[in-house]
Amino acid sequence: MGNVEVPKTLILTAEDVSGLLCMSDVIRVVESAFRAYGKPGVEMPPKSYLKVEKGDFRAMPASMGRVASIKWVNVHPGNRDRNLPTVMGVLVYSDAETGYPLALMDATAITAYRTGATAAIASKYLARRGSRTLGLLGTGRQAHTQLLAHAELFDFEIVRAYDVRAGAAESFVETYPDRCLVVCTLEEVLSSDIVCTLTTAKEPLVRREWVKSGAHINAVGADAEGKQELDPRLLVDALVVVDDLRQAAAAGEINVPLSNGLFKLEQVHATLSEVVNGDKAGRQTDGQITVFDSTGIAIEDLATASLVYDRAREEAVGTAIELVKIR
């Protein structure tokens, strides 16, 4: 590294990261990352899965310009019974030119925020103009950031919430007394203008006949092989947009219908990057049903981690250590 002064590696805890995140800024940087995706200077191989008895781990690398990152994130559905988050993550943030680790940060909140932000961006381009109702199917941690992100871009008259767990939707609604939230049945949630499916289901919960004309669905829960939330007939009838075609085919909402021959890869209309960049059209009619298959991609993490790191340096947040010996 010659005589160039290198900052020590910054350690950012969950509390540090949460204090540095602002949803409006996360939406801004994630949308910029989707504009850059596919252009020179951006690299992102598909996420790699490691299955274990109680859940799975995913390794998610990406580089963009002068920085790179890899996130090691888990999904363990049984963690709720152990008072642990279902999803936890750690992210290594590096200088792409030298490989030097600039930061090691908790990525649990990063994952939640960037996932909510990405779905809200998809809704911005795919939902009907003037959408006034939001439906949240599943009221775990991701429901909070979905609500937070969508509220940045839409003015909702009512937000409908449903969860199969007794009391979960009620507790979620009580957390937001000023947000016009109501506990509803599954069918009522699916009557919303925008629906976010946030479950770990392996069998379809959303039946085709329950989804109204003109609805937009963010299919977020199906993020691993074998997971499925939507009736395949819904995908066939809808305009389907994915975050990444390789990931969606292997582990997104379309993975089971593809393997069963009930949906074809060529029926995917576009990637979100293509829609954001105007390379392909989004919603084409008010009556069209649109579906965004959100698997979660590494450029979302990298963009959000860059925001966190820069803000941490500006505000002197975190603990700097000599993690790697510098000669």
Side-chain angles (χ1 to χ4, degrees):
M1 295 185 186
N3 296 320
V4 177
E5 183 178 351
V6 178
K8 292 182 178 180
T9 302
L10 195 59
I11 305 299
L12 296 170
T13 67
E15 184 177 359
D16 293 333
V17 173
S18 294
L20 295 166
L21 286 169
C22 167
M23 184 56 83
S24 60
D25 290 335
V26 175
I27 291 172
R28 173 178 54 81
V29 298
V30 170
E31 186 169 356
S32 294
F34 273 98
R35 291 191 187 282
Y37 185 32
K39 296 179 180 178
V42 179
E43 294 290 336
M44 190 191 72
K47 70 173 77 171
S48 175
Y49 287 81
L50 175 65
K51 295 181 181 180
V52 293
E53 183 181 358
K54 300 294 185 180
D56 66 70
F57 295 88
R58 300 104 189 263
M60 302 178 63
S63 66
M64 191 158 45
R66 300 178 63 179
V67 292
S69 69
I70 184 165
K71 185 177 75 171
W72 181 243
V73 61
N74 75 292
V75 178
H76 282 62
N79 275 1
R80 193 177 290 116
D81 297 331
R82 301 184 179 191
N83 293 320
L84 287 171
T86 299
V87 178
M88 295 177 282
V90 176
L91 185 142
V92 180
Y93 182 74
S94 301
D95 182 312
E97 182 178 351
T98 64
Y100 185 79
L102 298 170
L104 177 65
M105 63 184 77
D106 180 89
T108 308
I110 286 174
T111 301
Y113 267 69
R114 62 77 152 155
T115 305
T118 300
I121 293 163
S123 296
K124 171 183 173 180
Y125 288 93
L126 298 174
R128 286 185 303 177
R129 291 182 180 273
S131 292
R132 289 291 179 263
T133 55
L134 174 67
L136 300 173
L137 175 50
T139 55
R141 180 169 188 181
Q142 185 51 222
H144 295 268
T145 50
Q146 290 291 335
L147 174 61
L148 185 61
H150 279 84
E152 290 286 337
L153 302 181
F154 295 88
D155 183 16
F156 294 117
E157 296 172 352
I158 190 169
V159 178
R160 303 182 177 109
Y162 170 82
D163 199 295
V164 68
R165 295 170 295 138
E170 287 80 2
S171 296
F172 176 75
V173 167
E174 290 171 1
T175 306
Y176 300 97
D178 301 323
R179 294 278 191 175
C180 301
L181 268 70
V182 294
V183 178
C184 294
T185 65
L186 174 58
E187 292 91 335
E188 288 170 337
V189 164
L190 296 176
S191 69
S192 304
D193 296 326
I194 299 171
V195 177
C196 301
T197 60
L198 312 167
T199 77
T200 58
K202 293 187 177 180
E203 297 287 341
L205 297 172
V206 180
R207 293 171 58 176
R208 170 65 184 89
E209 55 268 28
W210 291 343
V211 179
K212 71 176 187 179
S213 174
H216 169 64
I217 298 175
N218 291 308
V220 178
D223 61 350
E225 183 181 358
K227 287 187 176 182
Q228 183 182 20
E229 296 181 299
L230 309 185
D231 184 338
R233 295 176 298 163
L234 183 56
L235 295 174
V236 172
D237 290 347
L239 181 143
V240 177
V241 174
V242 301
D243 52 11
D244 181 85
L245 194 57
R246 294 171 297 178
Q247 283 192 187
E253 181 60 44
I254 64 174
N255 87 93
V256 176
L258 281 173
S259 64
N260 292 340
L262 299 176
F263 186 78
K264 297 179 180 178
L265 203 57
E266 53 266 29
Q267 289 175 277
V268 172
H269 171 69
T271 64
L272 183 57
S273 177
E274 290 173 325
V275 174
V276 168
N277 280 312
D279 299 326
K280 290 189 178 179
R283 170 176 293 274
Q284 294 157 20
T285 67
D286 282 347
Q288 190 172 43
I289 294 173
T290 54
V291 172
F292 173 56
D293 186 350
S294 173
T295 62
I297 58 178
I299 59 165
E300 302 165 14
D301 300 307
L302 177 53
T304 308
S306 293
L307 177 70
V308 167
Y309 178 74
D310 291 344
R311 191 159 289 170
R313 292 289 303 276
E314 291 169 4
E315 300 181 15
V317 173
T319 303
I321 66 170
E322 193 172 299
L323 182 67
V324 175
K325 183 68 176 178
I326 302 171
R327 292 187 295 175

